[in-house]
Amino acid sequence: MNGIEFEVTGRKGLFTCPEFKVGGEKCTLQIPTYEALKGITKSIYWKPTITWVIDAVRVMNPIRMESTGIILPKMKSNKNDIAIYTYLKDCRYQVKAHFIFNKNRPEYKNDWNETKHQEIAERMIAKGGRQDIFLGTRECQGYVKPCKFGEGKGFYDDFSELPFGLMYHGMTYPDEAYSKETRRCVTMRMWQPIMRNGIIEFAKPKDCILTKRICDMQPKKFELKEEH
């Protein structure tokens, strides 16, 4: 009832761990991260009432990369510098996700209506999303449309298993905390993805094999408006 399926495409993508986005040269991961796909899904539709959970991604096109020279302004200088960014090329993914109600936001309990959020999410997919779609970073414009997960021919349909080693999964923010250790702080999660016949089934945030506390943070506060 609360699940959606969509296809996201883009000429290029840049999926990285936040620790490698400070500056200088950047190199993409081979596959989109849980956090990046969650960001895309939230750009399609999101409210504080719900939390999106990414179930799986299907890689439709071959994994190819290309490097591009990027002009960067130097700090404390009028001169420019050049850096090499390595992007994924010709990205196309099928995504399956579902939403759950955010129990960290009990003040929105009156808005826990599955049918309402399901129908709005489906309409927003058909319209291409409520906000702009990006594949990892802002310069990587993406486009979404409805699809049936698993339909169509994918490049890796007959590749059996393909492991990617230890990889960044996502960030847990205090308004989506799932345990005592993840409250009032930001936590980074790591996991070991395996692609089976083109499909990667994501571990849930609480099931990631490695977590690291980044910093303290309080949940974001939203202004409640009375309905008349």
Side-chain angles (χ1 to χ4, degrees), residues 18 24 38 49 55-56 80 82 108 130-131 188 193 201:
K38 184 178 177 181
T49 309
D55 299 312
N80 293 328
I82 188 168
Y108 293 105
R130 178 169 282 181
Q131 299 177 347
M188 184 175 71
E201 295 184 352

Side-chain angles (χ1 to χ4, degrees), residues 10 32 62 79 90 139:
K79 298 180 180 180
D90 297 328
E139 69 265 25

Side-chain angles (χ1 to χ4, degrees), residues 52-220:
W52 283 110
V53 178
I54 307 302
D55 299 312
V57 61
R58 185 180 179 212
V59 182
M60 302 297 290
N61 289 348
I63 298 173
R64 297 186 296 169
M65 299 183 181
E66 62 178 358
S67 297
T68 304
I70 304 295
I71 302 298
L72 301 175
K74 280 187 175 181
M75 299 298 292
K76 300 180 181 180
S77 173
N78 294 326
K79 298 180 180 180
N80 293 328
D81 199 0
I82 188 168
I84 303 298
Y85 283 17
T86 302
Y87 297 94
L88 285 169
K89 184 178 180 181
D90 297 328
C91 301
R92 182 185 170 206
Y93 309 105
Q94 291 181 353
V95 181
K96 180 164 61 174
H98 73 277
F99 65 83
I100 58 176
F101 294 121
N102 192 346
K103 300 300 177 65
N104 294 304
R105 298 283 186 183
E107 65 270 29
Y108 293 105
K109 190 173 183 178
N110 292 335
D111 196 31
W112 291 359
N113 186 323
E114 287 190 9
T115 302
K116 167 190 169 181
H117 296 296
Q118 175 75 30
E119 292 178 351
I120 295 176
E122 290 176 351
R123 290 200 303 269
M124 291 302 102
I125 293 174
K127 291 179 177 293
R130 178 169 282 181
Q131 299 177 347
D132 291 340
I133 305 298
F134 305 111
L135 293 175
T137 57
R138 191 168 185 84
E139 69 265 25
C140 301
Q141 183 72 43
Y143 306 91
V144 297
K145 65 178 183 180
C147 79
K148 182 67 176 177
F149 190 89
E151 283 190 351
K153 179 65 176 176
F155 184 81
Y156 295 97
D157 288 352
D158 303 316
F159 264 63
S160 187
E161 289 192 358
L162 182 60
F164 292 93
L166 188 66
M167 187 175 290
Y168 171 71
H169 184 275
M171 306 290 282
T172 300
Y173 295 95
D175 56 344
E176 294 184 356
Y178 54 82
S179 66
K180 188 180 298 183
E181 291 76 22
T182 56
R183 293 175 184 169
R184 302 183 186 88
C185 67
V186 179
T187 308
M188 184 175 71
R189 309 183 304 269
M190 306 291 288
W191 75 310
Q192 293 179 313
I194 299 176
M195 183 166 67
R196 297 179 174 91
N197 296 322
I199 297 176
I200 301 169
E201 295 184 352
F202 285 100
K204 291 182 173 61
K206 65 179 181 179
D207 296 329
C208 288
I209 62 173
L210 181 65
T211 61
K212 179 182 178 182
R213 185 186 179 100
I214 302 299
C215 64
D216 295 333
M217 180 182 288
Q218 295 298 321
K220 184 176 181 180

